[in-house]
Amino acid sequence: MFVKSTKIHRAVLLAGASLAALAATGEARADFILNGSLLVSSTTYQDTGAVAGLVAGSSQLPGTVNKTTNAYTPATAVSGGNLNTVWNNASVDSSFGVTSAITLQDQNANTGAVNGTLAVNPNIVSTSFSSKSELGLNITNTSSGFVATFMGYAGGGVGNLDVSNSDTTAYKDTTNPVTRQFAPGANQTYAYNRSVVAVNANGTYSTTQTLAYGGNNGRSAVLAPNGSYYTVGNSNNGTGTPSQLTNSTGLEVVTPGSTPNSTMINPGYTSISGDKAGKDSNFRDVVLNPYNNQLYFTKGSGSNGIDTVYTVSNPNGQLPTAATASQATISVAPGFTTDSAKTTGGNFTPFGLFFANATTMYVADEGTGNSTDTGTNAGLEKWSLVNGTWKLDYTLRSGLIGKSYTVAGWNYTETTTGLRDLTGRVNADGSVTLWAVTATSSGSGDNGADPNQIVTITDSLGSTSLPTSESFSTYDGPQAGLRYGGVAFASAAPEPSTWAMLILGFLGIGFLAYRKKASALRLA
C-alpha cells in the first residue's frame, strides 16, 4: 500500500517493515502518480545496522590497495554513527556511505500538498546516503499510464557500509578496497546489483537488476517507447582497468524482467585520449528528448573526460538496443563545452536536463567545477538550438547561488552552490515552471549528506536575454538527515504513436507513513 494524504507537510517518518516475498503485491490504487503532479524522491539517514556498530579509533573500514603490490591497508573509523560526525569517516575511507531507505512523494505541483507517499522496501532495493548523484527521477507517459523510474541497490537494506562502491555479482574486483575489507576470502562476496525500479501510476513497483556499474553507482534510468530502460552511472573502485568494469559502465540498455542484464552502448567510448579507461563515461543523468527521440545525458564530476552534455546516435533510426548497442556513437551535443575536466577543472558541471520544446533545453549545473563554473555557469542554464547547434542564452542564479541557511539538528551552515536533478512544466501563458534539487557546501565531512532543498522558478520560455525579475524560491526542505534526490513532473501530454509496448506488472510493497504540518495527521 501507499499512504494517501492531503495538505500535509513534507517531512518523512517511515515505519519499519520486514522483507516480503517478491511475489507479494502491494495495494494497487489508481491515484498515486497524478496528472499534473510533482514526484519527489528522497532518503533519510538512520543510525542503525552496521553503521551503528562503528566505534571511533577501533572499527576497521575500507582503506587503500597498493597499485603495484596489491597489498591492502585497512582504515580506522574516526566516528560512530552520529548524523553530524559519521561523514568524517570519508576522510579515511573514500568509499564511505551508508545504505538508506527510499521514499517517493507525489505532490501538488502548485501548493506542495502531499497526494500520497510510497516507501520502497529497503530489503528489495535501497540507496546510499550520502551519494548525491543517486535517485534521479524520470516519468514516462505510456499507453497504460505513468511509469516512474530510478535506480538503487538490490537487497541494500539500511545501515550497510560502502555499498555504493561494492562489486556486482558479475565480477569480483580484488583491487577494490571495499571488496578487500568485506569479502577478503576467495569464496566471499560483497556484491549488490544496481537495479532499475519502475513505479506504476497505481503505486505498485518492480525491479530489474543490471550487471553494470561494479565498484560505483547507477544514477538514473528512463523507460523508452521501445520498452527498454536506458541507464547511466559509473564503475570501478579499484586500481586497475579490467574490461569487466570498463565495458559495463556509462550508458546502458536494459531489458525489463527478472533476469539481471545490461549492455553498454558504445563500449570503449573515450572522449579524452590518455584518461583512465571507463572513467570519461562517468555519466549521471539521462533523459529521452521527446522531440527527436534521442537520449541526452550529462557528465559533471570526476577528473577524467569532459564535463558536458552528451547524446547518442540511433542506429538505423531507432534507439540503441542490446543488438545494436555497439553500433551507436556517443558524442558531445553540438555547441556544448569540450574542455578537459583534468586540464581546466570543468567550465561546466551539468547534472539534470529538461526539454521545454524542440529548441529549448534547460540544464542544471552543480557548481563544483572551476571558477568559471562557480562564478558564471552554476545554477539553471537555458540553451537554444540555433541551426543545429546549442547556444547558451543565460543562467538563472538569483535567489539561489550563495544562499546560506541553518537547519535544526545539523551542526553546519549550508550554502547553495548549484542544482542537481531537474524537471519542468510548460504553461499555457508561454512560461515554463521548473523544479530542481539543490547542491550545497558546508563544513560537514561529506557535502552529499548536507540537508538540501527543492527550489522552483518560472521563466519566460521565449526569452533569450536574462530576465531581471526572475528569482528562485524554496519549494521544500531542508530537514536534517534527509537528502532530496530527484524530481519529475507528471504530464499526460500525448506521446508519439510509437508507444506500442507491453507494460510489466509492477510489484508493490507498502509501508505506513505519516506527514506533519502544523499538527500531525495519520492516515491508513
Side-chain angles (χ1 to χ4, degrees):
M1 70 173 63
F2 65 86
V3 176
K4 183 179 179 183
S5 54
T6 57
K7 297 182 180 178
I8 305 172
H9 190 267
R10 306 177 291 276
V12 180
L13 179 65
L14 299 181
S18 59
L19 174 63
L22 283 177
T25 303
E27 178 188 4
R29 297 276 295 273
D31 55 357
F32 175 58
I33 303 177
L34 301 179
N35 181 36
S37 65
L38 184 70
L39 192 67
V40 176
S41 64
S42 66
T43 186
T44 302
Y45 172 71
Q46 292 178 264
D47 184 7
T48 189
V51 69
L54 289 180
V55 178
S58 62
S59 297
Q60 288 194 341
L61 293 171
T64 58
V65 176
N66 186 287
K67 187 173 183 179
T68 302
T69 66
N70 204 36
Y72 172 66
T73 304
T76 302
V78 298
S79 173
N82 178 273
L83 170 65
N84 281 283
T85 60
V86 65
W87 315 112
N88 294 333
N89 286 308
S91 65
V92 295
D93 171 12
S94 61
S95 305
F96 190 76
V98 182
T99 54
S100 51
I102 300 164
T103 298
L104 298 183
Q105 277 197 341
D106 190 69
Q107 302 177 3
N108 183 303
N110 297 317
T111 67
V114 177
N115 302 317
T117 301
L118 175 66
V120 178
N121 187 337
N123 293 315
I124 295 175
V125 65
S126 62
T127 190
S128 178
F129 210 105
S130 58
S131 296
K132 60 187 180 181
S133 59
E134 295 179 9
L135 293 185
L137 281 176
N138 279 292
I139 293 179
T140 301
N141 182 22
T142 77
S143 59
S144 297
F146 294 122
V147 178
T149 47
F150 60 93
M151 295 198 74
Y153 301 93
V158 175
N160 290 319
L161 301 175
D162 296 11
V163 167
S164 61
N165 288 111
S166 67
D167 296 330
T168 68
T169 59
Y171 179 69
K172 181 177 180 178
D173 182 9
T174 57
T175 72
N176 181 351
V178 174
T179 304
R180 295 292 288 272
Q181 180 63 37
F182 297 123
N187 297 320
Q188 293 179 303
T189 59
Y190 194 71
Y192 297 86
N193 286 344
R194 285 63 175 163
S195 298
V196 179
V197 183
V199 182
N200 204 0
N202 63 11
T204 58
Y205 59 92
S206 66
T207 63
T208 299
Q209 295 186 27
T210 77
L211 297 174
Y213 313 123
N216 216 287
N217 57 355
R219 296 166 175 174
S220 180
V222 62
L223 173 64
N226 60 7
S228 295
Y229 299 131
Y230 292 89
T231 67
V232 290
N234 191 18
S235 73
N236 197 355
N237 195 44
T239 60
T241 55
S243 61
Q244 294 93 331
L245 298 178
T246 60
N247 289 331
S248 62
T249 187
L251 180 66
E252 302 266 340
V253 56
V254 180
T255 301
S258 59
T259 302
N261 75 97
S262 48
T263 303
M264 187 176 179
I265 297 173
N266 195 176
Y269 169 76
T270 300
S271 61
I272 301 292
S273 178
D275 279 3
K276 187 175 181 180
K279 284 297 185 180
D280 52 1
S281 53
N282 173 17
F283 305 135
R284 60 184 187 179
D285 185 58
V286 60
V287 299
L288 180 66
N289 180 347
Y291 302 100
N292 66 3
N293 197 42
Q294 281 190 279
L295 296 163
Y296 285 74
F297 40 99
T298 60
K299 179 185 178 298
S301 62
S303 60
N304 293 280
I306 303 170
D307 290 344
T308 193
V309 176
Y310 295 83
T311 188
V312 64
S313 64
N314 287 347
N316 306 313
Q318 303 295 321
L319 288 168
T321 65
T324 64
S326 62
Q327 302 170 28
T329 301
I330 291 173
S331 61
V332 175
F336 281 89
T337 186
T338 58
D339 64 293
S340 164
K342 184 172 293 184
T343 301
T344 68
N347 291 328
F348 294 82
T349 53
F351 207 112
L353 303 173
F354 173 71
F355 287 90
N357 56 34
T359 59
T360 308
M361 185 199 317
Y362 289 89
V363 180
D365 191 292
E366 193 176 22
T368 55
N370 60 22
S371 58
T372 299
D373 183 38
T374 59
T376 304
N377 298 324
L380 184 56
E381 301 160 6
K382 184 178 188 178
W383 294 74
S384 293
L385 186 63
V386 180
N387 297 323
T389 299
W390 290 100
K391 173 182 175 294
L392 178 61
D393 294 326
Y394 52 82
T395 302
L396 295 166
R397 295 162 55 93
S398 177
L400 179 74
I401 304 301
K403 174 185 174 183
S404 295
Y405 57 89
T406 59
V407 182
W410 183 248
N411 294 346
Y412 310 96
T413 298
E414 297 297 330
T415 301
T416 304
T417 62
L419 299 172
R420 295 174 185 151
D421 205 34
L422 173 69
T423 192
R425 176 189 67 200
V426 178
N427 303 313
D429 64 357
S431 65
V432 55
T433 299
L434 301 117
W435 296 265
V437 174
T438 61
T440 58
S441 66
S442 74
S444 71
D446 185 339
N447 291 156
D450 292 352
N452 61 348
Q453 298 176 307
I454 297 173
V455 294
T456 185
I457 193 170
T458 296
D459 184 42
S460 174
L461 184 53
S463 295
T464 55
S465 299
L466 180 65
T468 59
S469 60
E470 297 178 4
S471 184
F472 284 91
S473 61
T474 300
Y475 174 84
D476 200 4
Q479 177 181 317
L482 185 147
R483 178 179 67 80
Y484 293 105
V487 285
F489 181 75
S491 173
E495 295 288 348
S497 59
T498 51
W499 281 113
M501 56 182 291
L502 177 64
I503 301 300
L504 301 174
F506 296 110
L507 306 177
I509 305 296
F511 296 83
L512 185 64
Y514 70 79
R515 294 281 173 177
K516 291 181 178 179
K517 195 163 189 178
S519 61
L521 175 61
R522 188 181 183 95
L523 295 171

